[in-house]
Amino acid sequence: MESRRTTMKLALGAVAAGSLAPQALAASGRRSASTPEAPCRALGSPTWRAGIEGQRIADLGDGRYLNPILPGDYPDPSVLKDGDDYYMTHSSFDSAPGLLIWHSRDLVNWRPLGPALSKPLGTVFAVDIAKHDGRYFIYIPFMKAPWSPELPSFANTFVIHAPSMNGPWSDPIDLKVGGLIDPGHVVGEDGHRYLFFNDGKRVRLTADGLATAGPVETAYEAWRYPDDWITEAWSPEGPKLFRKDGYFYLVNAVGGTSGPATGHMIVAARSRSINGPWENCPHNPIQRTLSRNEMWWSRGHATCVEGPGGQWYMVYHGYENGYQTLGRQTLLEPIEWTADGWFRARGGDLSAPLRKPGPAKAGQPHGMPHSDNFESDRFGTLWNLYNSAPAERARVAIANGALALTAKGASPSDRVVVTQQVGDRAYEVTVEIELEGKATGGLLLFFDDRLYLGMGIDGARMTSYRGGKASYWPEPAPPARRMFLRISNRDQIATFHYSVDGKTWTRHGVRTEVSGYNANTMDNLLSLRPALFAAGEGRVLFRDFRYRALD
């Protein structure tokens, strides 16, 4: 262990936190997964520790952390400080159940509590958590879905509430605010509650926070960057508000959430009154990726929060250079308050370790196992249905060591699909499948219903999927109604294996380069992730799903 620590020190050098130049970073970032919680190293690249199943974790175990704090597709973070506890949730888009709640005591190590949203009404994104008068609220924009024709085509804002972040959460209540996104809750100096939205809009809420108490109005105009900057779009969005030392601070995102690496950015404004006037920060943007050579792209959508010991931080998302397939990951950056009452980012390009928030709190292990023996129901925490109406939950059964999916449709594009998020640069997933009736089932790497790859069997033959459709490749797998399937994703190369006994494995004849399976290709803010599917008629049983992070 000591030799590993010494090696890690040599790799990182005597560089101060946040000062490692991006050109010193290699693309691989490999690390040993042989010993859980052991420090690990890759020459000339960022160094994470290996946690559960070898998954990378931010806490280096020496008083420092290395971003991301939540690896994988956890975008649009909303964070609530509640005493010594921190709670966070993210956009869950088409996943059901949705809005997984995470808990932390130090802003670095996070554990899942469970989903807050059991009854999705459509696509869920960019929510805000709030606590008021001892009760907890989540304000949620829903996009229209095929099963919710009553919603506008763009978005309607709803709210759920609970006595605890552990729930139970209410059913969604329609605030009847349409056409706006990214609500941000705040209580004004007048004691009234407000929601701010994209494009500088605002609405006052009733005292209980469950209805509006006035019309939507324009409240502010976000800071504009020079026209010759390379961004995706203007897109003022993601307002997060807090009050400190007599000012209301409004932290906003502009520049578009995907697109060019230099697009998304964090800007700020402040006012003595919730009614304005709003003064833009003189050193906007607070944070922005300056070059595609940096490790983290499209950084934005920040929540400012006071950490343990009084140090302040921004929690926001970004794409990992070379690994956009992982989606927008959650990042933590320290900020400092200046004498003129503004704040500045102090994390550099986030490619080097930073000091953990202090003083140290009682530690908790980070993350969760991604393997599943299906002896307990982890739906909404590990697994989610993709793009399915609430009634589709009845097609999922977990009992006796098996996940049973009642099939529908003809292919992974119109079938029952369950997915889970992953955050490692290289990993392997394995599962046993068994067919009942005239069903087809399989294992995929799934971006959305237009883009996926993997293997499926129907008892007579194997169908290979690439590019979101059945491939012409006739893989000569034996006919079987029970088979073991494996997919590894290493260096953005997906390799398939299959076995009839779980012992002797055959490599599929085709490998696939998957770096293009990302949001900029598909104009859909998701990630490439392991998935199980069932199509046709009958059921597909899945047993002993295994996840392993690779070196």
Side-chain angles (χ1 to χ4, degrees), residues 45-66:
S45 72
T47 304
W48 292 276
R49 295 175 76 209
I52 300 168
E53 299 164 338
Q55 299 169 42
R56 61 175 174 170
I57 58 176
D59 193 336
L60 298 180
D62 61 359
R64 300 178 303 164
Y65 72 96
L66 179 61

Side-chain angles (χ1 to χ4, degrees), residues 109-441:
N109 295 289
W110 296 85
R111 295 287 283 177
L113 297 181
L117 189 63
S118 60
K119 294 183 178 180
L121 298 177
T123 300
V124 177
F125 56 96
V127 305
D128 197 35
I129 308 176
K131 183 181 182 182
H132 188 71
D133 286 344
R135 196 158 187 86
Y136 298 84
F137 301 81
I138 304 179
Y139 291 91
I140 310 167
F142 283 102
M143 294 281 269
K144 182 177 181 179
W147 60 86
S148 56
E150 71 280 4
L151 291 185
S153 59
F154 187 53
N156 241 33
T157 299
F158 285 66
V159 61
I160 58 176
H161 58 95
S164 162
M165 287 301 289
N166 289 290
W169 291 93
S170 71
D171 288 340
I173 299 168
D174 191 354
L175 296 179
K176 297 181 172 58
V177 177
L180 297 173
I181 60 173
D182 300 11
H185 179 272
V186 67
V187 179
E189 77 278 11
D190 55 8
H192 294 305
R193 302 172 66 176
Y194 296 88
L195 285 184
F196 282 65
F197 296 92
N198 66 306
D199 204 26
K201 305 299 183 184
R202 184 187 80 172
V203 69
R204 182 178 152 189
L205 298 174
T206 55
D208 62 8
L210 305 181
T212 60
V216 174
E217 56 189 352
T218 298
Y220 72 101
E221 182 176 352
W223 176 84
R224 279 189 175 270
Y225 49 82
D227 189 59
D228 60 351
W229 285 14
I230 303 301
T231 68
E232 180 185 35
W234 164 227
S235 301
E237 60 191 5
K240 300 294 182 186
L241 296 99
F242 62 97
R243 195 176 190 184
K244 183 180 186 297
D245 299 333
Y247 280 104
F248 290 94
Y249 292 86
L250 193 159
V251 182
N252 218 31
V254 294
T257 193
S258 191
T262 55
H264 208 30
M265 68 193 82
I266 301 166
V267 300
R270 71 182 183 185
S271 173
R272 291 289 186 183
S273 169
I274 199 64
N275 298 309
W278 293 92
E279 171 194 7
N280 286 316
C281 179
H283 50 261
N284 276 333
I286 303 296
Q287 185 55 277
R288 179 190 179 216
T289 301
L290 299 178
S291 165
R292 63 182 297 112
N293 296 323
E294 293 185 25
M295 181 174 174
W296 293 101
W297 293 7
S298 303
R299 291 188 279 170
H301 204 103
T303 298
C304 290
V305 62
E306 184 182 1
Q311 168 69 54
W312 280 73
Y313 291 83
M314 295 189 297
V315 184
Y316 57 88
H317 63 220
Y319 284 105
E320 190 170 358
N321 190 345
Y323 293 88
Q324 290 170 280
T325 52
L326 291 175
R328 293 171 295 165
Q329 305 181 55
T330 305
L331 311 173
L332 178 69
E333 177 168 11
I335 59 177
E336 74 171 7
W337 291 94
T338 56
D340 58 1
W342 292 104
F343 60 93
R344 292 183 179 271
R346 284 292 177 251
D349 64 6
L350 303 190
S351 63
L354 298 163
R355 291 183 182 86
K356 279 183 61 180
K361 299 288 183 181
Q364 64 174 3
H366 174 85
M368 61 179 165
H370 283 253
S371 299
D372 197 352
N373 60 12
F374 302 115
E375 293 292 346
S376 60
D377 190 340
R378 299 176 67 193
F379 239 76
T381 302
L382 177 63
W383 299 100
N384 299 91
L385 274 164
Y386 168 76
N387 196 23
S388 298
E392 295 289 279
R393 181 63 175 84
R395 292 184 177 273
V396 180
I398 299 175
N400 303 318
L403 165 66
L405 298 182
T406 301
K408 73 168 187 177
S411 75
S413 294
D414 61 356
R415 62 323 90 256
V416 179
V417 169
V418 298
T419 71
Q420 61 164 267
Q421 297 290 351
V422 296
D424 291 295
R425 290 176 164 186
Y427 58 88
E428 175 185 276
V429 290
T430 304
V431 71
E432 176 190 350
I433 72 172
E434 183 177 356
L435 307 177
E436 292 183 350
K438 298 179 180 180
T440 296

